[in-house]
Amino acid sequence: MTSSLSGPVRPFDPASPRLGVGLAALGRPGYINLGHARDLPDRSVAGMRAQAWAVLDAAYAAGVRYFDAARSYGRAEEFLGAWVQARGHRDAVLGSKWGYTYVADWQPDAPVHEVKTHDQATLDRQWPQTLAALGGPRRCT
């Protein structure tokens, strides 16, 4: 199987990590969890980045190598890509998703936080954004 976006696609790789950490609640200041504001009291961009990196560091130290973000998770891809680059974790496996666009502009009380659009135009727009945020295509070493 091939993809016009990324070359060969392997639907299942037995060597893939079986446990990962997702950044849904760590990439944006407003999230659907109860107690989100209590758990993450500093919801500034710098505060959320620091908290995301602390979780990523702890997960990596515990042996986690798969990390997940999405275009709709606010700045999750940005935080994850910068963390991998800063830490030099070449063995980290990064995943992301497309089709939802974060629209809350870092406002926890925004009436709408994400918009779902699963069409070709959204994929064409989001794919390069994701690659840029995560540091480009990666191969595990």
Side-chain angles (χ1 to χ4, degrees):
M1 176 184 330
T2 61
S3 164
S4 63
L5 297 174
S6 63
V9 173
R10 295 176 300 186
F12 175 74
D13 181 349
S16 294
R18 298 291 183 255
L19 180 67
V21 169
L23 298 179
L26 295 168
R28 64 190 207 192
Y31 198 66
I32 58 175
N33 312 39
L34 294 175
H36 185 260
R38 181 188 66 241
D39 292 339
L40 302 168
D42 182 354
R43 294 188 292 168
S44 68
V45 173
M48 293 292 290
R49 180 185 306 109
Q51 292 166 103
W53 281 34
V55 169
L56 291 166
D57 285 339
Y60 190 88
V64 174
R65 294 297 181 267
Y66 177 72
F67 303 94
D68 172 75
R71 297 300 312 151
S72 63
Y73 297 173
R75 295 190 174 195
E77 288 180 342
E78 173 191 329
F79 295 168
L80 179 57
W83 173 80
V84 167
Q85 181 68 30
R87 300 294 193 258
H89 294 318
R90 303 281 309 148
D91 58 342
V93 178
L94 311 182
S96 193
K97 295 163 293 302
W98 72 279
Y100 291 81
T101 303
Y102 177 68
V103 296
D105 195 31
W106 214 258
Q107 303 302 312
D109 58 349
V112 177
H113 286 253
E114 57 189 37
V115 174
K116 176 174 125 175
T117 314
H118 288 100
D119 60 15
Q120 187 68 45
T122 301
L123 177 60
D124 290 345
R125 183 184 80 248
Q126 289 185 340
W127 179 250
Q129 293 169 338
T130 293
L131 288 178
L134 295 179
R138 297 172 46 89
R139 298 282 185 245
C140 294
T141 57

